[in-house]
């Protein structure tokens, strides 16, 4: 037996829990940098949080210039904002971009250097300054994961900083903060969470030595991650369509918030796999949203690995509420994959890579680049050589779901 569990010092989930933010921040430090974006700062819910924190904390600086995919220029600006007030705590209010930015700012604030010093796994040398993470979307799970994904202009794909030391200290997940999330963002973030659950549940199990839980971040699936992943898939499957269709459906919003948390706990340990690895170069080349990319790629990656995980796809069919009680594993897996195709279409995910502007000639290069993202690609349950990854992309480019 060899297991590990990582997470925030405290995770709080539920309607109305955002009212705890000022106290949690004030108890964590006296000089806070609030990281958010300009759109969110103009919304009453987020503006109210900022005002309440100002009443409780001695020094408050707001950095509201976060932009998608965490470019390194944003990191430099946010680090300067933190230094200007000698910040000893960070509050991140926003989606995955905002929280990922706050994570790397905390690293540099405590340890110095530049983001490039920390690319890869387990390269952050110790704890960072306290971070309180408050998501306004239901999808990335960044509020409780050990990963910060950045965009480096000198590289042709996104890069990750992965370390247990960047898991936020407090995660406050209030579904009410997602009620104003636009339908498109709800769809992209929601399918990202579903990918986290499915990729974790189908991740390759790997043998480990006693040092691996400290030296590695993603460890492959295990019974603990299976539990989180299946519960996440259940909630997201029944509520994602509803949340996209009607942002005021409070039950669906609650399901999505909780499902995103559970999926985040699953992939914090098991890890993501081929859809995420392949999306890195594709997203960098096309400047398309992360959730859109991984959602588009998921059915093709699952079909490529079907021989290895057909039994798990059958379990997912049942968990997602499909009528497979009398079906064989093969029939149930078919049912799940067909249902997934329908879900993606219903929430507006394009069916092919050609639809998002990917050139077919670039597919082998993208496959080779994805194969180098070892922390992700080693979790894919199917073949991971360049030819096999290229075949996944060829199918996704042409829309071949045979």
């Amino acid at each position: 037996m060899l297991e590990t569990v990582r997470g925030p010092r405290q995770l709080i989930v539920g309607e109305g829990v955002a009212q705890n933010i000022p106290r949690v921040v004030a108890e964590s430090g006296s000089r806070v940098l609030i990281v958010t974006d300009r759109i969110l700062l103009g919304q009453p819910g987020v503006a109210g949080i900022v005002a309440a924190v100002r009443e409780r904390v001695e020094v408050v600086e707001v950095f509201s210039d976060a932009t998608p995919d965490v470019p390194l220029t944003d990191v430099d600006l946010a680090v300067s904002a933190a230094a200007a007030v000698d910040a000893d705590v960070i509050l991140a209010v926003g989606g995955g971009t905002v929280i990922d930015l706050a994570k790397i700012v905390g690293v540099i604030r405590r340890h110095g250097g530049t983001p490039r010093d920390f690319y890869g796994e387990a390269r952050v040398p110790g704890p960072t300054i306290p971070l309180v993470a408050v998501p306004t979307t239901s999808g990335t799970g960044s509020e409780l994961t050990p990963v910060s994904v950045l965009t480096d202009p000198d590289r042709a794909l996104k890069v990750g900083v992965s370390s247990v030391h960047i898991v936020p200290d407090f995660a406050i997940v209030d579904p009410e903060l997602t009620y104003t999330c636009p339908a498109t963002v709800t769809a992209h973030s929601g399918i990202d969470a579903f990918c986290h659950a499915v990729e974790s549940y189908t991740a390759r199990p790997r043998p480990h030595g006693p040092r691996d839980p400290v030296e590695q971040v993603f460890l492959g699936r295990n019974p603990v991650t299976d539990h989180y992943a299946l519960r996440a898939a259940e909630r997201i499957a029944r509520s994602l369509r509803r949340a996209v269709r009607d942002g005021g459906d409070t039950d669906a919003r609650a399901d999505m918030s909780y499902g995103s948390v559970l999926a985040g706990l699953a992939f914090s340990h098991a890890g993501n796999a081929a859809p995420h690895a392949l999306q890195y170069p594709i997203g960098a080349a096309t400047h398309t949203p992360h959730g859109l990319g991984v959602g588009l790629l998921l059915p093709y990656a699952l079909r490529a690995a079907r021989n290895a995980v057909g039994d798990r796809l059958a379990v997912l069919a049942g968990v997602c509420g499909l009528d497979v009680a009398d079906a064989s594993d093969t029939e149930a897996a078919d049912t799940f994959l067909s249902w997934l195709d329908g879900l993606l279409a219903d929430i507006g995910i394009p069916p092919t890579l050609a639809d998002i502007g990917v050139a077919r000639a670039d597919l082998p290069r993208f496959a080779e680049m994805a194969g180098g993202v070892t922390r992700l690609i080693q979790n894919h349950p199917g073949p991971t050589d360049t030819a096999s990854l290229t075949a996944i992309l060829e199918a996704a480019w042409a829309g071949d779901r045979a």
Side-chain angles (χ1 to χ4, degrees):
M1 183 188 72
L2 183 67
E3 304 289 359
T4 184
V5 176
R6 309 184 186 101
R9 194 185 315 167
Q10 185 172 16
L11 166 63
I12 309 171
V13 185
E15 290 88 342
V17 298
Q19 64 190 280
N20 295 298
I21 295 169
R23 175 176 176 173
V24 171
V25 172
E27 292 178 354
S28 300
S30 60
R31 299 178 304 280
V32 60
L33 175 70
I34 300 177
V35 181
T36 187
D37 66 43
R38 291 191 180 277
I39 293 175
L40 288 170
L41 192 59
Q43 295 181 356
V46 175
I49 291 170
V50 173
V53 170
R54 288 189 186 278
E55 293 180 0
R56 290 289 298 266
V57 180
E58 181 180 342
V59 178
V60 177
E61 176 72 11
V62 178
F63 179 83
S64 59
D65 292 328
T67 56
D69 299 323
V70 197
L72 295 191
T73 51
D74 283 12
V75 178
D76 292 340
L77 293 170
V79 168
S80 295
V85 293
D86 193 23
D88 59 5
V89 58
I90 300 175
L91 168 63
V93 184
T97 285
V98 166
I99 299 173
D100 281 4
L101 173 60
K103 288 176 178 178
I104 193 63
V105 170
V107 171
I108 295 171
R109 180 85 188 127
R110 176 58 57 85
H111 301 290
T114 72
R116 294 184 177 97
D117 297 324
F118 307 104
Y119 291 170
E121 285 195 304
R123 296 189 63 189
V124 177
T128 71
I129 67 173
L131 172 59
V132 180
V134 181
T136 58
T137 64
S138 299
T140 70
S142 186
E143 69 273 10
L144 40 79
T145 65
V147 180
S148 174
V149 180
L150 317 174
T151 301
D152 187 330
D154 293 336
R155 300 192 176 210
L157 73 170
K158 295 177 183 178
V159 291
V161 175
S162 303
S163 168
V164 67
H165 295 304
I166 66 172
V167 176
D169 297 271
F170 296 91
I172 299 177
V173 183
D174 190 333
E176 292 178 357
L177 294 176
T178 71
Y179 291 173
T180 58
C181 188
T184 299
V185 178
T186 298
H188 294 167
S189 59
I191 199 62
D192 188 23
F194 192 71
C195 288
H196 294 159
V198 173
E199 288 176 57
S200 296
Y201 186 64
T202 57
R204 185 193 302 272
R206 306 200 309 270
H208 294 289
R211 292 186 178 181
D212 289 345
V214 172
E215 295 177 349
Q216 299 179 32
V217 173
F218 293 157
L219 300 165
R221 74 175 191 247
N222 62 50
V224 175
T225 63
D226 283 355
H227 170 77
Y228 287 136
L230 290 175
R231 299 288 73 77
E234 177 184 26
R235 287 176 177 269
I236 296 168
R238 74 189 183 199
S239 293
L240 178 52
R241 282 188 180 90
R242 290 167 50 197
V244 171
R245 186 184 313 120
D246 177 10
D249 186 332
T250 57
D251 288 341
R253 290 294 198 184
D255 254 0
M256 291 304 301
S257 287
Y258 194 33
S260 175
V261 164
L262 293 168
L265 290 170
F267 94 80
S268 289
H269 306 83
N272 294 315
H276 275 71
L278 292 165
Q279 192 278 334
Y280 274 16
I282 290 169
T286 61
H287 303 289
T288 46
H290 169 78
L292 181 154
V294 295
L296 189 162
L297 290 162
L298 180 64
Y300 300 102
L302 291 178
R303 285 177 167 90
R306 177 174 175 150
N307 289 342
V309 294
D311 57 335
R312 291 194 159 239
L313 299 181
V315 171
L316 283 165
V319 165
C320 291
L322 309 182
D323 184 11
V324 293
D326 298 322
S328 66
D329 280 358
T330 298
E331 293 167 336
D334 283 340
T335 299
F336 173 75
L337 291 170
S338 295
W339 171 86
L340 177 59
D341 292 341
L343 172 66
L344 294 168
D346 288 348
I347 64 171
I349 303 299
T352 75
L353 291 177
D355 291 329
I356 61 171
V358 174
R360 188 174 188 180
D362 288 332
L363 300 182
R365 180 170 62 89
F366 290 159
E368 185 173 4
M369 294 167 69
V373 188
T374 305
R375 67 183 177 87
L376 300 178
I377 209 65
Q378 66 184 345
N379 289 320
H380 180 56
T384 57
D385 57 279
T386 300
S388 297
L389 297 178
T390 302
I392 294 174
L393 294 180
E394 287 280 0
W397 190 87
D400 179 5
R401 299 188 180 184

